Amino acid sequence: MKRNEKIFVLTCMAAGLLGVHASAMHIMEGYLPKGWAAFWIVVCLPFVAIGFRRISKYVQQNPKNLTLLALCGAFAFVLSALKIPSVTGSCSHPTGVGLGAILFGPTTTAVLGLIVLLFQALLLAHGGLTTLGANVFSMAIVGPICSWIVYHGLKKIGCPKAGAVFCAAFAGDLLTYITTSIELGLAYPGASLAGAILKFMGIFAVTQVPLAIAEGLLTVVVFNVLEKYSNRELTQLDVL
Amino acid sequence: MIGTDRYGYASRLAHVTPQSKLLTMAVTSILCLSLESISVSVVTILMMGAATVCMGGARLCDFIRMMRIPAGFMVLATLTIFIGRYAPETDILAGIQFGQFVYGVTTGSALQGISICLRALGVVASVYFLAMNTPMTDITGALRRLHVPALLVELMELMYRFIFVLYETMHRIRTAQASRLGYDGLIHAYHSTGTLVAMLFVRAWQKSERIYAALESRGGGQSVCTLAEEYESGHAVYLLCMAVSALQIAVFCMERGLTA
């Protein structure tokens, strides 16, 4: 092997090892060009506006819902700080995409996700303000909608609850990761757009596929405990 | 306190009007993102870093530690941009041949990757100037003054308060579980983490009911009203904003002049 080939292989291996400990799929601050950053903000606006109208209605119906929603948002933020043992042996942080969508519905999750991602960007430096649109679209819109559809679809066809919950959380995480790869591929297409998207998907698969499986398993455990001890709350949220 | 919050409250700029810091962050990060130049990015990192350390009083090692947080994502994403598939006759810096093609890094892709990383770090430094010098409650107060919908700001303020309450609860449950060997082995770890999340949800629900009862009993059930703090004038920060943006534009023009 030539010298420059050795350098290349060693650099890739070192970068791969570093990446294993990368947190969830937040596109970092300033990583997207200005055009794409603005585009994703515009794309998110209608979803956030619908979610906001829905939340306003909830709060008008019963002011108690304001504290409940705020605590649900805080719960989602704290969830992202939790370490879950990944199936590959390393540790990852759950995104809470599936759990949030099943508990609160996709429209509410869009607004709560926006605030959670804003706090994460300012307090934890996960994600960013310029990439907020792209992150909200993948983690608070596409992922939760997918999870919600999968959960209710599987429940309707008579799938066992544990299976539906696992598939919803797994699919939500997977679609979040695919959407982020598409967003990055569109921003940096290189020689071919499809090639760039596949390249991003391939490199992030190392961390994201094990995370999706881990989060799916964790969400099933969470649901079993919730069903056992807090049926009343789940019924109020129309989950059961 | 979590993340940048501990620096925000301890900063010498903590009592300066938050609008001035918001404006500085917005102008410098938009210029860094729009001008897309390596020298502008370097100037932004240095100037905003210097402002956070010298004006805000944060320690240099803390600022550098915070700048390293997004490294995981940056390495993975930039690696993807760095590496490409090329024809065997392409002049590459480093790479390896698989079949008909060479997979590696060219001068162009390396320059693009470095430029993106520096630009991202420039914007990160600008945002840290805001985050490490402004308590979160001041940022939400500034958003209220900027006519962001009141319900959204109220939700943010309540959520921010509840984050610390839930963090404390989570740590207490986790310590109790760990002291009973709850995280010994993968299966136990999954069961304990799942129970922890579920219990946290139940506690959050119960707490929201108690907090609402407390608010209602004090006549504040409809909305949460707080008094705004009196701030010091932000002249120094506005001057900083003008100086950094002028320097960014000057460096950009010089770079263009050199390359033309």
Side-chain angles (χ1 to χ4, degrees), chain B residues 37 65 144 168 202 246:
Chain B
S37 132
R65 196 171 49 82
R144 197 186 289 271
E168 213 183 297
V202 176

Side-chain angles (χ1 to χ4, degrees), chain A residues 5 26 29-31 34 56 63 66 70-71 74-75 78-79 81-82 85 115 118-119 122-123 125 188 199 203 214 233, chain B residues 3-4 34 73 77-78 80 83 95 116 119-120 127-128 131 151 154 156 159 162 167 170 190 197 204-205 208 221-222:
Chain A
E5 286 182 353
H26 296 75
E29 186 73 85
Y31 212 83
K34 54 184 182 293
S56 304
L66 182 68
L71 263 156
F75 169 73
V78 172
L79 202 66
L82 203 71
I115 303 175
L118 188 68
F119 280 155
L122 287 171
L123 291 170
Y188 302 108
K199 216 161 50 162
I203 214 142
E233 284 87 349
Chain B
T4 57
S34 319
F73 175 86
T78 310
T80 320
I83 302 167
I116 293 166
R119 185 188 71 199
V127 174
Y128 277 163
L151 178 65
E154 223 161 75
M156 282 176 76
M159 209 188 269
F162 295 153
Y167 250 117
M170 181 182 85
Y190 267 99
V197 174
W205 188 286
S208 85
Q222 293 293 324

Side-chain angles (χ1 to χ4, degrees), chain A residues 140-154:
Chain A
I141 295 170
V142 175
I145 289 176
C146 167
S147 288
W148 190 82
I149 291 173
V150 169
Y151 177 72
H152 286 279
L154 288 177

